[in-house]
Amino acid sequence: MQGRSRKNLLSPAVILWILIIEMAETTAPPQAESAVQIVYTERPQNEEPESFHLRILSSVLGSEEAAKDALLYSYKTAASGFSAKLTPQQVDEISKQPGVLQVVPSRTLQLHSGHGKLH
């Protein structure tokens, strides 16, 4: 009988804990999701492209370490720019930085060959 009464005491505690967690999740401010963005920049003068890109990212993210974590790729040959994981707020901020020309979401496109198969 003692085991049964102990079980009944644990159930309300577990239920209360679940309710507290649920309330915390619903009242917490929503976290903006990061997405991969392509940031087109002017070609840097007298500076390595990757250093230039990190400097721009650092000005928005607050540190060089955060910039290195967010930077996915530096484009140096055909275009000048970089790809990075950014929140919508960070996209707004980085768009206003000197040397930034355009920020666009990265998209993956799939080529289709049409109805027939290629041999």
Side-chain angles (χ1 to χ4, degrees):
M1 195 69 177
Q2 223 176 27
R4 183 177 177 161
S5 64
R6 184 175 178 193
K7 184 178 179 182
N8 288 338
L9 288 176
L10 290 178
S11 293
V14 171
I15 292 171
L16 180 62
W17 187 39
I18 291 171
L19 288 173
I20 290 171
I21 290 172
E22 286 295 318
M23 286 176 46
E25 288 178 359
T26 58
T27 58
Q31 294 291 327
E33 297 259 341
S34 294
V36 177
Q37 305 288 329
I38 308 296
V39 181
Y40 292 98
T41 65
E42 296 174 349
R43 287 205 182 275
Q45 302 296 319
N46 305 320
E47 187 175 9
E48 289 295 317
E50 191 166 343
S51 298
F52 180 63
H53 301 154
L54 285 170
R55 187 165 49 83
I56 291 171
L57 266 174
S58 295
S59 68
V60 171
L61 302 181
S63 72
E64 188 173 337
E65 185 176 323
K68 286 180 179 179
D69 288 342
L71 182 69
L72 300 174
Y73 190 80
S74 279
Y75 301 99
K76 305 168 197 159
T77 307
S80 180
F82 58 92
S83 60
K85 288 189 83 169
L86 301 169
T87 65
Q89 181 181 359
Q90 292 166 338
V91 168
D92 288 341
E93 290 179 40
I94 210 161
S95 297
K96 299 170 187 168
Q97 297 299 311
V100 173
L101 302 174
Q102 184 179 21
V103 182
V104 295
S106 178
R107 299 183 326 168
T108 302
L109 302 175
Q110 187 172 16
L111 298 176
H112 297 278
S113 62
H115 292 79
K117 291 184 178 179
L118 294 177
H119 296 282

